[in-house]
Amino acid sequence: MNDTNKKWLFLLILSVIWGSSFILIKKSLLGLTPYQLGALRTIITGLFLFSVGLKSLKSIKKEEWKWVVISGFLGSFIPAFLFAIAETEIDSAITSILNSLVPLNAILLGFAIFKIGFTKRQFVGVIIGFIGTSILILKGADLNPDQNYLYAGFVIISTVMYALNVNIIKKYLQNVKPLSIAAGNYVAIMIPAIVILLFTDFFSQNTYSNPDFKMSMVYVVILSFFGTALAKVIFNTLVQISTPVFASSVTYLMPIVALTWGLLDGETFGPLQFVASVIILLGVYLANKKKK
């Protein structure tokens, strides 16, 4: 399979995995606090990655470790907590929709900081996708007037971090194996996660007596393996065989998956949201269409 077909396949797989992550976060929070969830997600993911990628760490050069560590905190550690905190107040589908700001941030930060150029078509595509996202946000606010949208700020901060991360991988870690990057990320963030977990009252009878605790742990394990460990390796590969803008376009497809899960979970999905989803797909197409 050539890189063109491979990148679209990876984009589709990631959209399904990460689009499902938001409902898993929502379900995990039934028996865990946001800080417990963020810490456990990091620790469990780290264990998965170390079991298959520990030997690959030898391939990381000394001068590359700085960027691997920064990538770990920006692309995994901090967002794991911010998304969990955000979903205590806003729906999983809305959180996924807000996450669609990543491609716009990737273009702006890539140009401003990393000197990575972009075409007019890419910019137009991102703007169209952002318009579709805005419609979804406004409709979500109408359907959920009691939600505290101040917590959307945590998601927006995360999108900036994700955008910085994709540009760092493209510019400084282009020649590092995707599994090495993922495993290296967690070398840096595992210990901070363990420390945080120790201060969250996780190891107490009060936590274990929660009737939702066992299922929450099941959801966290699924989230950690598929939504973080496996997805990070696929995503790092996608960044290397495409562009930061293309890779971050996964955040345009994720809301469609997340909204589908929301519908199955009893949330409302209106006709206008369907139209907005089509607009988002159009934006992805335009942002990644090659010139003839």
Side-chain angles (χ1 to χ4, degrees):
M1 184 182 295
N2 59 43
D3 282 351
T4 300
N5 293 332
K6 189 182 296 183
K7 71 179 185 179
W8 281 104
L9 176 61
F10 284 171
L11 187 72
L12 180 61
I13 293 173
L14 277 174
S15 67
V16 173
I17 292 176
W18 275 341
S20 302
S21 294
F22 298 95
I23 192 69
L24 289 171
I25 292 173
K26 177 181 177 180
K27 296 297 184 182
S28 298
L29 288 170
L30 295 176
L32 298 167
T33 69
Y35 295 100
Q36 290 171 347
L37 172 55
L40 284 169
R41 182 180 179 182
T42 301
I43 294 168
I44 296 171
T45 300
L47 294 175
F48 280 134
L49 288 172
F50 293 160
S51 66
V52 297
L54 203 56
K55 292 183 179 180
S56 70
L57 295 176
K58 296 179 182 179
S59 66
I60 303 176
K61 298 177 183 178
K62 184 178 179 181
E63 62 271 18
E64 294 169 334
W65 267 106
K66 175 180 69 174
W67 298 111
V68 170
V69 171
I70 294 173
S71 171
F73 278 95
L74 292 178
S76 299
F77 185 76
I78 301 175
F81 292 95
L82 295 184
F83 274 101
I85 294 170
E87 287 202 34
T88 61
E89 290 291 337
I90 58 179
D91 280 346
S92 59
I94 299 301
T95 303
S96 174
I97 292 164
L98 290 171
N99 197 48
S100 296
L101 290 168
V102 173
L104 179 59
N105 289 331
I107 283 182
L108 298 178
L109 292 173
F111 177 74
I113 300 176
F114 300 95
K115 308 305 178 185
I116 298 175
F118 59 89
T119 66
K120 291 181 179 180
R121 181 182 283 116
Q122 283 181 318
F123 187 73
V124 170
V126 169
I127 294 300
I128 290 175
F130 181 72
I131 291 172
T133 298
S134 299
I135 295 173
L136 282 172
I137 292 174
L138 293 173
K139 187 60 179 178
D142 289 340
L143 296 174
N144 304 281
D146 298 328
Q147 292 183 1
N148 186 351
Y149 272 78
L150 290 176
Y151 277 69
F154 292 114
V155 182
I156 294 172
I157 292 172
S158 295
T159 65
V160 174
M161 292 183 176
Y162 282 152
L164 286 169
N165 182 50
V166 295
N167 281 293
I168 286 172
I169 292 173
K170 189 64 179 179
K171 188 173 179 67
Y172 300 108
L173 302 173
Q174 175 68 22
N175 298 317
V176 182
K177 294 180 180 178
L179 181 58
S180 300
I181 297 173
N185 288 161
Y186 282 81
V187 167
I189 65 180
M190 273 279 283
I191 293 178
I194 292 172
V195 172
I196 290 175
L197 186 64
L198 291 174
F199 285 93
T200 62
D201 200 36
F202 176 75
F203 301 100
S204 68
Q205 186 59 40
N206 184 52
T207 299
Y208 303 148
S209 61
N210 188 319
D212 295 309
F213 173 74
K214 290 183 178 179
M215 282 307 301
S216 290
M217 289 301 298
V218 172
Y219 291 130
V220 172
V221 172
I222 296 173
L223 176 65
S224 300
F225 179 71
F226 290 101
T228 310
L230 179 61
K232 275 191 71 67
V233 175
I234 295 175
F235 181 72
N236 292 342
T237 304
L238 181 59
V239 172
Q240 291 180 341
I241 66 174
S242 60
T243 66
V245 174
F246 183 91
S248 57
S249 292
V250 68
T251 58
Y252 280 163
L253 300 175
M254 285 159 51
I256 299 171
V257 178
L259 283 166
T260 301
W261 279 116
L263 181 63
L264 295 174
D265 197 46
E267 297 177 7
T268 304
F269 186 83
L272 189 57
Q273 288 172 302
F274 175 78
V275 173
S277 299
V278 174
I279 294 174
I280 288 172
L281 287 173
L282 175 61
V284 174
Y285 174 74
L286 290 177
N288 298 285
K289 182 180 178 183
K290 292 183 178 180
K291 291 183 178 180
K292 294 181 180 180

